[in-house]
Amino acid sequence: RLLTAEGLVEATSQRGFRVTSATEEDIRDIIMVRSEIEKLALCLAIENGDTEWEGRVIAAHHRLQKAELSVAQDADDLTALEWDEACRAFSLALIDACTSPRLVDLQRRLFNQSRRFRLALLREDRIDFGLRRANQRKIVDAILARDTTAAVDALLDDIKAELKALRKQVVDYEKQAVSKNKCILELGEEKERHLKRRIEVEEKFEEIQGHLAERESAMKEINITPTCLPTNNPKRIPNGTGSNKDDNDNPSKDTPALANANIGIIIKAT
């Protein structure tokens, strides 16, 4: 519930919670409200802050500069979190003399909502540390000089630079999502073509099987069987000159040769 109230997660029907999605409009809205809140709080802090507040700003700025040097060289998880905490501490130090707890609380919430975007920028090497150092230096110098206009201008320049990087990040993400969806669509169409071709092959195979079954059935309906009508003595040598000497010497009229046998072929239809 606390994360939902902070705008860090969102509830989905019957699916639990998920990290709040980010769009270009969401980021623009967060940065716009944050700009107005921090601008008002900074003006009040410069008006009401004392030397102790100035000392806190200088100390927070020093820690942030060291953290940015470290994270620019090696952005491992621990260094990244230390850098993000230094960013939060510096942003809070700028306004903690505004004498308005509600402004401070609003700034904290908006900072936390944009926190994951900054870490994503860091992971993707999209942060211009040189520009950040220049803007932060201008803010601190203006605070020490009690120049409200210069301090606010430098603060807004720093926020706008972050907005520009975040918008580019979201646009790139959207392009990647479109490209991914296009690839998925193309793969789906290719899969559909393969499935259609497979169905056509299976239908052709079934058609061939049907033809074979019809042919086999037709062959069973017509049975062709050769039948020979044997003679009285099928073992007799037909030409009278074989190895059966007795029969060859005395051929009988009652025992015709095999060559004169009446052979018939009966075709039976079943």
Side-chain angles (χ1 to χ4, degrees):
R1 292 180 180 179
L2 179 60
L3 294 176
T4 304
E6 293 285 342
L8 300 177
V9 299
E10 58 186 4
T12 56
S13 178
Q14 299 180 350
R15 293 186 180 182
F17 298 86
R18 67 177 182 182
V19 177
T20 303
S21 59
T23 64
E24 186 176 356
E25 291 74 17
D26 294 330
I27 293 175
R28 187 187 299 111
D29 185 57
I30 291 172
I31 296 298
M32 183 269 292
V33 177
R34 180 184 162 193
S35 299
E36 295 301 319
I37 295 297
E38 293 191 15
K39 180 173 68 173
L40 175 59
L42 181 58
C43 291
L44 292 174
I46 293 174
E47 180 181 346
N48 300 309
D50 54 14
T51 55
E52 291 184 0
W53 169 64
E54 291 177 355
R56 293 195 297 272
V57 171
I58 293 173
H61 178 250
H62 178 69
R63 288 194 297 271
L64 178 58
Q65 293 300 298
K66 294 190 67 174
E68 293 206 337
L69 287 175
S70 298
V71 80
Q73 295 174 357
D74 184 13
D76 59 71
D77 292 344
L78 179 59
T79 306
L81 291 176
E82 291 176 348
W83 167 77
D84 183 67
E85 178 59 25
C87 291
R88 186 199 63 79
F90 178 69
S91 181
L92 176 60
L94 294 179
I95 66 169
D96 70 353
C98 70
T99 68
S100 175
R102 288 179 176 81
L103 281 178
V104 173
D105 184 61
L106 286 172
Q107 188 276 342
R108 177 188 61 80
R109 292 188 182 187
L110 293 170
F111 184 90
N112 288 338
Q113 288 181 13
S114 59
R115 182 181 188 184
R116 59 192 175 98
F117 304 132
R118 284 189 301 277
L119 291 174
L121 290 175
L122 175 65
R123 183 179 63 251
E124 298 173 6
D125 196 22
R126 294 173 180 261
I127 295 179
D128 186 346
F129 287 107
L131 180 60
R132 282 174 57 86
R133 284 193 295 268
N135 288 331
Q136 292 160 6
R137 183 75 261 176
K138 289 178 182 179
I139 295 171
V140 174
D141 291 344
I143 287 174
L144 297 178
R146 299 292 171 147
D147 187 344
T148 302
T149 301
V152 169
D153 289 343
L155 175 64
L156 294 179
D157 287 342
D158 188 49
I159 294 176
K160 288 178 181 177
E162 184 174 342
L163 171 62
K164 183 178 179 180
L166 289 173
R167 289 179 64 182
K168 186 177 186 303
Q169 181 189 49
V170 171
V171 169
D172 290 345
Y173 283 169
E174 290 177 349
K175 289 181 179 179
Q176 292 175 6
V178 170
S179 178
K180 183 177 181 180
N181 290 336
K182 183 178 179 181
C183 291
I184 293 174
L185 181 61
E186 291 176 352
L187 288 175
E189 292 175 351
E190 183 69 19
K191 184 177 180 180
E192 184 178 355
R193 286 195 294 269
H194 282 298
L195 180 60
K196 184 178 179 181
R197 178 58 181 166
R198 179 178 177 181
I199 293 174
E200 291 176 352
V201 172
E202 290 178 351
E203 290 177 349
K204 189 65 176 178
F205 181 72
E206 291 177 357
E207 182 181 352
I208 293 174
Q209 282 188 321
H211 290 324
L212 292 176
E214 292 177 358
R215 182 176 180 182
E216 183 177 356
S217 176
M219 292 180 67
K220 288 181 177 179
E221 291 177 357
I222 301 176
N223 185 13
I224 301 176
T225 305
T227 303
C228 295
L229 297 179
T231 60
N232 294 332
N233 189 5
K235 294 183 180 181
R236 180 172 298 279
I237 302 302
N239 55 13
T241 59
S243 59
N244 192 335
K245 189 175 182 301
D246 295 335
D247 292 338
N248 291 336
D249 293 339
N250 301 302
S252 175
K253 293 181 181 180
D254 297 331
T255 308
L258 185 61
N260 297 323
N262 183 14
I263 300 175
I265 298 177
I266 300 175
I267 300 176
K268 295 181 180 180
T270 61

